[in-house]
Amino acid sequence: MLRFDDGAKEQSSVKQILIKYIKEHAVEIIYVKGRNKEDYLIKTLGKDCPKIVNLEAIDDCVKLTKEIPACNNHTA
């Protein structure tokens, strides 16, 4: 999970970094959690934006809670 303030790159370079990664890895779908992230990617990537799936919009998607174990990289 990436937070908006993760990393050491300038905000102005986000679009170029994402587009390069999407093209190099033939990304067809980006999964996000939340409408803000979905809107941000659509606005930032414009015509280069692949399909975005907002996990919060899926009714039967499992919600992580403290009772559901997660890996060390995805703990609250």
Side-chain angles (χ1 to χ4, degrees), residues 6-56:
D6 283 349
K9 297 291 183 182
E10 293 296 322
Q11 186 72 22
S12 60
S13 63
V14 169
K15 181 176 181 176
Q16 293 87 0
I17 293 168
L18 287 172
I19 290 173
K20 180 180 177 189
Y21 186 89
I22 288 166
K23 289 180 179 179
E24 286 179 359
H25 298 280
V27 173
E28 295 180 12
I29 302 173
I30 297 176
Y31 295 91
V32 298
K33 182 179 174 186
R35 183 70 185 176
N36 288 340
K37 293 179 185 97
E38 181 180 7
D39 290 343
Y40 174 80
L41 288 173
I42 291 169
K43 181 181 175 186
T44 301
L45 295 174
K47 66 176 181 56
D48 296 310
C49 190
K51 178 179 179 182
I52 296 179
V53 175
N54 181 352
L55 297 175
E56 288 184 344

